[in-house]
Amino acid sequence: MKCHLAIGTLVAASSLAIGSPVAAAAENGWELPVLSVPAAQAISRGDGITVAVIDTGIRTEHPALAGRATEGPDFLGATGQNSQPWYGAHGTSMASSVLDVAPGAKVLGLRALRDADDPSFQTWEQSMEHGSLSGQADPIGKAIRYATDHGARVVSLSLGSQVSLGAYSDETMKAVQYALGKGVVVIASGGNDGDGDNHLAYPVGYPGVIGVAATNPDGSRAEFSSVHDYVDVAAPGVGINEAETSTNGRAPVDGTSCSGALTAGVAALILAKYPELAPRQVEQLLQSTASTYGQGHNPLTGYGVINAEAALRGAASLRPESPALAVGKEGAGVHFGPGDDGTPRNINYGMNSEDLAIGGVAGVLGLLFVGVGWLLFRRGRRAQRQWMGNAR
């Protein structure tokens, strides 16, 4: 089942394929070797880094999280829901992938979305407008700011919209920029709409967010992974061995949610070893050491599958820079800000180049249809007047 939490035209796909309960450590998962995580963990284990998992809440007592996770405020304004069986299924799954990659890190769980089985489940638009039943708007943006102000160095967003421009939020975009300016790396899954309408999505579409596609074991794009030019890198997203709440064990999961969470773990490894690096530098490391970097960028998998060990080794030669200089500036770095890589300069609309092209073609066709329709209308009116005259 797909694990990217897509809210809008598609409900949350957080149901997991049930597997046998296993120990807290990842067992027989192909994802960690592909990402060179075992070799990277010989260099860094993520100690001292807090990763904020902004999601549906987490089950801190799950064996995969126990002792390494805390839960912060519920930005939906609910209380006492963590005793419900549906609570935190998706968020717990994502937190386990972060900790599989960075076992020395800490997870801060922040609830800003509802699981699909939540009786009060909301669409993306409802969540953005109302947030909670008490009217708290923009829960994701508020959670990002809270994470930034409470010590998180990485924000993991395994969630996204599938309603294109209707999901854009100026407040959430500003919260992302606030986090980046404070040196916080923001990572979002690319979306599971690649075999559907392939809508433009947020928060992955905001400038400065590291967008992650999902791949198969051979490095090719998973068929469901969305295709856009804001995809920066890719990570495993098929059959990922993640925490499963109903059995307190693990189960295989598909989705770009998994890819984003694994990438957040890699970012934690880098920052634990090199804490002064700016978000833009972390993104550059992930890109420049990815599997197909030398072949240039493509919207399917970005610069390819990330390599945790290579990124860590590459970090040794970087000189830290100010994070405030990297956000929204032309020349700031590939896919980090608008204007230097084909992304649009007007970030207020959040559209990428392919959507602008499609929109332009659609607009031209629309004008043609309107013009033809008007001519036919005028011709019909003339014919009607002529018939009326003959009738008299």
Side-chain angles (χ1 to χ4, degrees), residues 109-129:
L110 298 173
R111 186 170 183 252
L113 293 172
R114 301 179 188 277
D115 278 292
D117 293 334
D118 185 336
S120 299
F121 175 79
Q122 296 169 303
T123 66
W124 179 272
E125 295 94 331
Q126 291 168 335
S127 176
M128 295 302 295
E129 182 178 357

Side-chain angles (χ1 to χ4, degrees), residues 2-4 10 162 188-199 201 204 211-216 219-238 254-260 298-302 304-305 354:
K2 298 174 187 175
C3 68
H4 174 267
L10 181 68
Q162 291 190 235
S189 52
N192 293 342
D193 204 23
D195 55 355
D197 293 330
N198 199 49
H199 286 301
V204 66
V212 189
T215 57
N216 299 304
S220 63
R221 180 185 71 93
E223 64 178 357
F224 55 79
S225 187
S226 296
V227 181
H228 288 286
D229 60 14
Y230 50 58
V231 170
D232 295 295
V233 288
V238 177
D254 297 346
T256 59
S257 274
C258 315
S259 312
N298 73 76
L300 284 76
T301 58
V305 179
E354 64 192 79

Side-chain angles (χ1 to χ4, degrees), residues 16-354:
L16 309 182
I18 302 301
S20 301
V22 295
E27 180 177 301
N28 299 324
W30 65 273
E31 60 271 17
L32 300 185
V34 163
L35 295 172
S36 299
V37 167
Q41 288 178 351
I43 304 172
S44 171
R45 292 175 58 82
D47 295 83
I49 298 299
T50 296
V51 179
V53 174
I54 298 176
D55 212 285
T56 65
I58 59 173
R59 294 278 190 178
T60 58
E61 74 278 6
H62 193 285
L65 279 59
R68 297 182 291 168
T70 58
E71 189 156 31
D74 186 335
F75 288 91
L76 299 182
T79 58
Q81 293 193 340
N82 56 2
S83 62
Q84 300 297 322
W86 41 258
Y87 182 89
H90 191 269
T92 301
S93 183
M94 297 306 107
S96 71
S97 274
V98 171
L99 294 172
D100 286 345
V101 174
K106 301 290 185 181
V107 163
L108 171 63
L110 298 173
R111 186 170 183 252
L113 293 172
R114 301 179 188 277
D115 278 292
D117 293 334
D118 185 336
S120 299
F121 175 79
Q122 296 169 303
T123 66
W124 179 272
E125 295 94 331
Q126 291 168 335
S127 176
M128 295 302 295
E129 182 178 357
H130 302 297
S132 70
L133 300 180
S134 62
Q136 181 183 357
D138 190 33
I140 296 171
K142 287 181 171 62
I144 292 171
R145 289 180 180 274
Y146 180 93
T148 301
D149 292 339
H150 288 80
R153 288 301 311 276
V154 182
V155 167
S156 181
L157 297 163
S158 289
L159 50 90
S161 63
Q162 291 190 235
V163 290
S164 205
L165 289 181
Y168 177 86
S169 164
D170 192 57
E171 291 304 312
T172 305
M173 189 274 287
K174 289 177 180 176
V176 169
Q177 304 307 314
Y178 174 76
L180 294 171
K182 298 288 187 178
V184 177
V185 175
V186 182
I187 296 171
S189 52
N192 293 342
D193 204 23
D195 55 355
D197 293 330
N198 199 49
H199 286 301
L200 185 72
Y202 298 99
V204 66
Y206 296 125
V209 175
I210 300 175
V212 189
T215 57
N216 299 304
D218 63 359
S220 63
R221 180 185 71 93
E223 64 178 357
F224 55 79
S225 187
S226 296
V227 181
H228 288 286
D229 60 14
Y230 50 58
V231 170
D232 295 295
V233 288
V238 177
I240 307 305
N241 188 37
E242 293 188 321
E244 201 275 327
T245 54
S246 66
T247 64
N248 224 28
R250 287 181 180 259
V253 183
D254 297 346
T256 59
S257 274
C258 315
S259 312
L262 291 167
T263 303
V266 175
L269 296 181
I270 295 171
L271 290 172
K273 183 71 173 178
Y274 302 99
E276 300 303 318
L277 294 180
R280 182 183 79 95
Q281 293 179 296
V282 173
E283 182 180 44
Q284 285 185 323
L285 284 167
L286 295 175
Q287 292 175 345
S288 64
T289 57
S291 60
T292 58
Y293 179 75
Q295 301 173 28
H297 179 271
N298 73 76
L300 284 76
T301 58
Y303 289 97
V305 179
I306 60 178
N307 184 320
E309 180 193 18
L312 271 166
R313 296 195 182 281
S317 61
L318 292 183
R319 184 176 181 178
E321 62 182 29
S322 169
L325 298 176
V327 182
K329 304 291 185 181
E330 185 170 357
V334 176
H335 278 235
F336 200 84
D340 63 346
D341 62 342
T343 53
R345 296 171 188 273
N346 189 344
I347 63 174
N348 290 331
Y349 293 99
M351 295 185 71
N352 61 11
S353 57
E354 64 192 79

Side-chain angles (χ1 to χ4, degrees), residues 348-375:
N348 290 331
Y349 293 99
M351 295 185 71
N352 61 11
S353 57
E354 64 192 79
D355 291 279
L356 288 171
I358 293 171
V361 172
V364 171
L365 290 175
L367 289 174
L368 287 175
F369 281 124
V370 170
V372 171
W374 175 249
L375 289 174

